[in-house]
Amino acid sequence: MKRQIIIAAVITICQFVNLPICQFVSSASAQKYALVDLEYILKNIPAYERATEQLSQVSKRWQAEVDALNTEATTMYKNYQNEVVFLSQEQKQARQNAIMQKEKEAADLKKKYFGPEGELFKKRESLMSPIQEEIYNAVKEVSELRGYQMVVDRASNSGIVFASPRIDISNEVLQKLGY
């Protein structure tokens, strides 16, 4: 209660006195904010669903290739364990090297497909960037049209406990995108 009285008093004083802090207080209260739910928007864009499905299929296919190499390495290791007593030292070394080579192939393939700069990352960028750019431009247009200084993503910010549905512009963004 005391805090509210102090804030009200500062705002009242700032209306009559021309101090830099008063200009900050008055300008901060004039800003307009909006919320947007990017998860909701993405769920309503068919191109996003198609891109997600395409990424899933590619990922499964690549994972199957990696799994096949791992299975082959595991089979080679089991065979080696079964035959190790019958092998000469040179044969043991050759088999061990072959197993390690197969495991390295699997690890390299996994890195190639799923690494930080791998094929899946590049594929995701190529499919998702145009959609994200389109959404960003629509949010920007709606924001400029309605005079918002800041738009916050409701889906990614768990710090929002409550927000009035009146400031959610998700449907306007979808309309701007044509959905």
Side-chain angles (χ1 to χ4, degrees), residues 10-11 22-23 25 31 45 48 50 66 87 91 101 123 134 140 168-169 171 178:
V10 169
I11 291 174
C22 294
Q23 292 170 355
V25 169
Q31 293 179 353
I45 297 178
Y48 176 76
R50 286 191 302 271
V66 171
L87 301 174
Q91 289 173 327
Q101 180 62 31
K123 187 81 167 166
E134 189 178 11
K140 184 178 174 185
D168 190 332
I169 61 170
N171 287 324

Side-chain angles (χ1 to χ4, degrees), residues 88-107:
S88 68
Q89 194 60 32
E90 295 83 31
Q91 289 173 327
K92 287 179 186 178
Q93 190 62 41
R95 292 266 187 104
Q96 289 171 356
N97 289 341
I99 292 168
M100 288 190 307
Q101 180 62 31
K102 191 58 72 173
E103 289 173 343
K104 185 178 181 323
E105 281 181 47

Side-chain angles (χ1 to χ4, degrees), residues 62 107-115 117-120 122:
W62 288 341
D108 289 346
L109 190 62
K110 184 174 184 175
K111 183 178 178 183
K112 175 187 172 195
Y113 288 151
F114 303 108
E117 296 294 323
E119 297 296 319
L120 187 63
K122 293 173 186 172

Side-chain angles (χ1 to χ4, degrees), residues 55-104:
L55 284 172
S56 176
Q57 290 174 357
V58 166
S59 177
K60 286 177 186 175
R61 186 175 70 235
W62 288 341
Q63 187 61 48
E65 289 179 36
V66 171
D67 290 344
L69 284 176
N70 281 325
T71 301
E72 194 175 330
T74 302
T75 303
M76 289 171 69
Y77 181 71
K78 286 179 183 177
N79 290 340
Y80 169 75
Q81 283 183 323
N82 291 335
E83 299 168 0
V84 73
V85 293
F86 304 113
L87 301 174
S88 68
Q89 194 60 32
E90 295 83 31
Q91 289 173 327
K92 287 179 186 178
Q93 190 62 41
R95 292 266 187 104
Q96 289 171 356
N97 289 341
I99 292 168
M100 288 190 307
Q101 180 62 31
K102 191 58 72 173
E103 289 173 343
K104 185 178 181 323

